[in-house]
Amino acid sequence: MTSRAERKYRAATAFQRRIGNPLLRRLPFQTLLETTGRVSGLPRATPVGGRRVGNAFWLVSEFGERSQYVRNIKADPRVRVRIRGRWHTGTARLLPDDDPLARLRALPRFNSAAVRAFGAGLLTVRVDLDG
């Protein structure tokens, strides 16, 4: 990772960890992705932007495999997604062969703009929802 990309990563993760995620997790209709912590085994909720299409929820990780929730998915792909205040269980799949920029064009604009602005090493994630 270049030094500029590394600075973006550090700045974005510091902001998310201290301000963004704690604030957004409290909003009742913010979409959340809940993974199981790969070390602690505890549930970890991360605010995400994405879109449900049929029985799948699509999102793009702004830091690819460096994102903590992606690392958690690699350890245990069973997740929950809160969409419009309702929890859904599913299995997350990392799609490195998918075009994340094309995928962002199909997702909500506000979040997609933020992911493009702050992201480095984008990665598409699909959650196949149960039932």
Side-chain angles (χ1 to χ4, degrees):
M1 191 177 274
T2 66
S3 62
R4 181 171 186 249
E6 182 65 26
R7 283 194 309 273
K8 280 174 64 172
Y9 171 77
R10 288 182 185 271
T13 56
F15 174 79
Q16 289 169 345
R17 192 170 291 134
R18 290 176 182 87
I19 299 168
N21 290 355
L23 176 65
L24 291 174
R25 276 194 296 259
R26 290 188 168 102
L27 299 176
F29 287 99
Q30 168 66 47
T31 302
L32 295 178
L33 174 68
E34 185 182 83
T35 59
T36 301
R38 64 194 175 283
V39 175
S40 68
L42 297 173
R44 302 294 183 199
T46 304
V48 295
R51 175 167 282 145
R52 183 176 183 167
V53 179
N55 281 337
F57 182 80
W58 292 86
L59 66 125
V60 174
S61 169
E62 64 188 324
F63 294 111
E65 295 194 16
R66 289 189 76 181
S67 294
Q68 297 303 314
Y69 68 86
V70 170
R71 291 177 181 183
N72 290 342
I73 287 169
K74 289 173 95 173
D76 182 0
R78 293 296 299 164
V79 300
R80 292 193 324 153
V81 182
R82 187 177 76 183
I83 306 167
R84 295 188 181 126
R86 185 166 175 248
W87 286 101
H88 305 271
T89 59
T91 303
R93 307 216 188 286
L94 307 177
L95 304 172
D97 294 332
D98 191 66
D99 180 355
L101 292 175
R103 184 68 55 193
L104 283 172
R105 288 191 285 276
L107 298 178
R109 288 184 185 169
F110 179 74
N111 181 73
S112 295
V115 169
R116 274 193 295 275
F118 298 111
L122 305 177
L123 175 66
T124 302
V125 179
R126 182 185 77 224
V127 177
D128 297 321
L129 302 172
D130 300 337

